[in-house]
Amino acid sequence: MRAEELERMQALDEHAGGKGISAVSYVSVGSGHAHEVQGAVVDESLVCISVNGEELATFMCSPFKLDQLALGFLYNEQLIDGRQDVRSIHLSKGESCVDVWLHDLEFRRPERKIVTAGCGGGVTFDDLSQQHEPLQSKKRASADQLANLMRQMHLGANLYQQARGIHTAALGADEQILVQVEDVGRHNCLDRLAGAALLQDINTVDRVLLSSGRISSEMINKARRLQTPIVCSRTSPTALSVALAESWNITLVAYLRQSRMRIYTHAERIVTN
């Protein structure tokens, strides 16, 4: 390996703190020519979350800022209402489990667990067949504002820019990104987003939620919990996510790329001229 390539790989590892992305070499083939490339791939680990000493859920995720992920998961699953419910969070020695201790020592793990369509098999304890009240919001945004927020999110996706293969999600105000996260799982991104917002005291109500990944039912359910009335994705929704967004008064925008988009539900919130 040439000296400059070695330095670049070392810089990648230092940036990721040994996690997030890893340096690799691969053979690139194009137009009949093959050559070795020093590049990077994203990390992925099996991590569990335990509450009051009892395992709650295990899933694949990016192995960094696991306190953020655990806190957001508990919030999105309506198992906590905020940081005030948490007594302490500890990362196990092997960094394979996040131990969360609540002030409520009577906490009992929900009986029903649903494996969702999320990358790596997402987990939720919420029953989407239950009725939830529609979001009450007067939030509006222009098509240009949404396109600008999506552009900002793409440019701010640091791990994606270096290695690809990772999702990102962001919470936006009218003109700026308030908080942004990355993870190999698109559903994990929304849990991380919730956790980051709680840790930074950022209000999620009436914000714009942006995601690089497909919007499926569990994604819309997390958006409902965060009370974000506008949800945007660079890619597609599912039929169930469209039905839930319609029922819960959430504006669902998909295929948001540059100035183009598809508004599937509650288009009255988006100013297009």
Side-chain angles (χ1 to χ4, degrees):
M1 183 184 297
R2 293 179 300 179
E4 60 269 24
E5 291 176 338
L6 178 59
E7 290 177 0
R8 189 170 72 85
M9 290 301 98
Q10 290 173 339
L12 278 175
D13 285 339
E14 289 173 2
H15 175 80
K19 300 171 184 177
I21 57 176
S22 295
V24 297
S25 63
Y26 59 88
V27 176
S28 177
V29 179
S31 301
H33 301 285
H35 63 282
E36 185 175 354
V37 176
Q38 305 303 322
V41 292
V42 295
D43 294 328
E44 181 182 25
S45 294
L46 184 67
V47 172
C48 77
I49 297 174
S50 72
V51 178
N52 292 354
E54 181 180 2
E55 183 178 323
L56 178 69
T58 302
F59 40 75
M60 303 303 297
C61 66
S62 294
F64 55 82
K65 296 185 178 179
L66 297 178
D67 57 339
Q68 175 192 80
L69 176 61
L71 186 64
F73 178 77
L74 294 178
Y75 180 81
N76 280 341
E77 292 299 314
Q78 303 182 75
L79 301 177
I80 62 171
D81 292 323
R83 284 189 301 169
Q84 70 278 2
D85 294 338
V86 178
R87 182 154 50 98
S88 64
I89 300 180
H90 300 287
L91 187 61
S92 68
K93 186 176 181 180
E95 299 187 0
S96 61
C97 190
V98 187
D99 299 314
V100 182
W101 294 89
L102 304 180
H103 291 293
D104 179 12
L105 298 180
E106 301 302 318
F107 173 85
R108 292 292 179 268
R109 168 180 166 162
E111 293 295 329
R112 181 177 185 180
K113 181 169 70 173
I114 301 171
V115 178
T116 71
C119 308
V123 174
T124 183
F125 295 96
D126 195 11
D127 184 356
L128 294 180
S129 66
Q130 293 181 352
Q131 294 297 315
H132 294 289
E133 292 296 322
L135 294 186
Q136 300 301 315
S137 173
K138 296 181 180 180
K139 175 70 175 178
R140 288 168 64 85
S142 71
D144 288 343
Q145 286 175 327
L146 298 184
N148 181 50
L149 288 174
M150 184 63 78
R151 188 178 305 111
Q152 289 183 52
M153 185 186 78
H154 178 69
L155 293 175
N158 295 324
L159 296 181
Y160 176 81
Q161 300 295 344
Q162 295 178 68
R164 301 296 192 265
I166 195 167
H167 284 292
T168 185
L171 197 66
D174 292 338
E175 304 293 343
Q176 64 178 337
I177 298 297
L178 302 175
V179 61
Q180 179 166 337
V181 297
E182 292 179 274
D183 195 283
V184 292
R186 56 190 168 81
H187 53 88
N188 293 344
C189 280
L190 297 199
D191 291 332
R192 286 186 180 275
L193 203 61
L198 288 173
L199 290 170
Q200 298 176 47
D201 292 321
I202 296 174
N203 184 17
T204 64
V205 178
D206 274 350
R207 305 301 191 185
V208 177
L209 180 62
L210 302 111
S211 172
S212 64
R214 183 180 73 251
I215 301 298
S216 49
S217 57
E218 79 274 16
M219 299 280 279
I220 281 291
N221 193 40
K222 293 177 190 293
R224 178 193 61 79
R225 172 62 170 162
L226 294 172
Q227 298 186 62
T228 53
I230 300 176
V231 176
C232 303
S233 171
R234 281 181 54 81
T235 182
S236 63
T238 65
L240 182 53
S241 71
V242 172
L244 291 173
E246 181 66 39
S247 176
W248 293 339
N249 195 26
I250 295 173
T251 298
L252 179 54
V253 180
Y255 295 104
L256 175 54
R257 302 172 184 179
Q258 298 179 349
S259 60
R260 300 186 302 274
M261 66 190 70
R262 300 178 187 178
I263 308 172
Y264 285 83
T265 60
H266 299 285
E268 65 277 3
R269 283 202 183 95
I270 310 304
V271 180
T272 56
N273 51 29

